[in-house]
Amino acid sequence: GQNIDQPTEMTATEGAIVQINCTYQTSGFNGLFWYQQHAGEAPTFLSYNVLDGLEEKGRFSSFLSRSKGYSYLLLKELQMKDSASYLCAVMDSNYQLIWGAGTKLIIKP
Amino acid sequence: IAGITQAPTSQILAAGRRMTLRCTQDMRHNAMYWYRQDLGLGLRLIHYSNTAGTTGKGEVPDGYSVSRANTDDFPLTLASAVPSQTSVYFCASSERGDTHQAFFGQGTRLTVV
């Protein structure tokens, strides 16, 4: 079966760095995505990786290793507004998105 | 304002009733999707449409139907609601079925009692 694993919840301090991991087992691979979802709101797109390596976008970076079925989202200089759930999703061979359950990130002052 | 709009925002529905959730986008996206999101689970695809006039079944299609008469609208119908369909429903769209960035509506919180 297809499976996306990510931690349920993480806590970090304002101004610090946090890394949210995601491992996956899917039927084929056409890219890995990270979305941010604030409580009660819609998911919004953060990043897309299809090749191995690190993609940097401001305070957020996303890493992919296809051979290990592994990705992480790195958030630097954490701000209170970064408190949200972070969703990892993989596009399988049928171009369907398979979603993880999300990691709830709590930022403390 | 360009984007994707869902209606209603929330609804309490008696079991056995029929309900249509509406979804409209004005970005001229070809692909549209309906997901449900339940606590502790990832988003699960109910139905999708890669282009107007075509639809497909996702992971959890039972009890739901969709239509795609035109590019902009993608309604989701629950023919006879059951309590297990209590969930938050998100409509989304993307340029094509194989493009990576999906845009989501604000969600419909449905409670079936």
Side-chain angles (χ1 to χ4, degrees):
Chain A
Q2 308 204 90
N3 196 49
I4 311 283
D5 284 317
Q6 48 181 134
T8 303
E9 187 174 296
M10 299 181 71
T11 302
T13 304
E14 191 177 14
I17 298 173
V18 70
Q19 178 175 311
I20 303 174
N21 296 326
C22 171
T23 58
Y24 64 89
Q25 290 177 306
T26 57
S27 303
F29 180 84
N30 280 301
L32 185 141
F33 308 81
W34 286 95
Y35 280 75
Q36 180 190 58
Q37 185 178 24
H38 285 100
E41 296 183 8
T44 56
F45 173 80
L46 283 179
S47 68
Y48 169 70
N49 295 68
V50 67
L51 300 176
D52 289 351
L54 188 68
E55 294 279 343
E56 296 187 77
K57 195 186 292 186
R59 293 189 299 113
F60 292 10
S61 302
S62 56
F63 171 84
L64 174 67
S65 168
R66 288 172 296 170
S67 63
K68 294 182 180 179
Y70 167 71
S71 172
Y72 66 73
L73 180 69
L74 191 71
L75 292 75
K76 303 176 186 175
E77 302 169 18
L78 285 169
Q79 302 175 9
M80 296 304 293
K81 68 178 182 179
D82 298 330
S83 292
S85 288
Y86 292 86
L87 315 181
C88 175
V90 173
M91 185 169 276
D92 69 9
S93 57
N94 294 320
Y95 296 98
Q96 300 291 349
L97 278 177
I98 310 301
W99 296 82
T103 298
K104 182 178 180 180
L105 178 63
I106 299 168
I107 310 295
K108 295 186 174 179
Chain B
I1 299 176
I4 185 164
T5 304
Q6 292 182 232
T9 305
S10 66
Q11 181 76 44
I12 298 174
L13 186 67
R17 297 296 296 270
R18 180 183 179 91
M19 173 83 190
T20 295
L21 308 186
R22 299 185 298 279
C23 176
T24 300
Q25 53 101 359
D26 61 3
M27 298 175 282
R28 307 303 294 170
H29 284 173
N30 285 306
M32 295 188 75
Y33 316 86
W34 274 105
Y35 290 95
R36 60 178 289 171
Q37 187 174 41
D38 302 290
L39 205 60
L41 299 177
L43 288 161
R44 292 184 291 169
L45 183 66
I46 304 170
H47 286 285
Y48 65 94
S49 168
N50 284 331
T51 188
T54 70
T55 62
K57 293 182 179 180
E59 181 187 353
V60 288
D62 293 344
Y64 307 95
S65 63
V66 292
S67 61
R68 187 88 184 277
N70 56 61
T71 298
D72 298 344
D73 301 300
F74 191 44
L76 175 74
T77 297
L78 289 68
S80 179
V82 295
S84 62
Q85 291 178 311
T86 294
S87 187
V88 179
Y89 291 86
F90 285 102
C91 180
S93 71
S94 61
E95 229 177 279
R96 301 187 314 269
D98 60 351
T99 53
H100 55 279
Q101 186 171 356
F103 295 83
F104 284 79
Q106 77 274 29
T108 295
R109 184 173 295 276
L110 180 67
T111 303
V112 182
V113 296

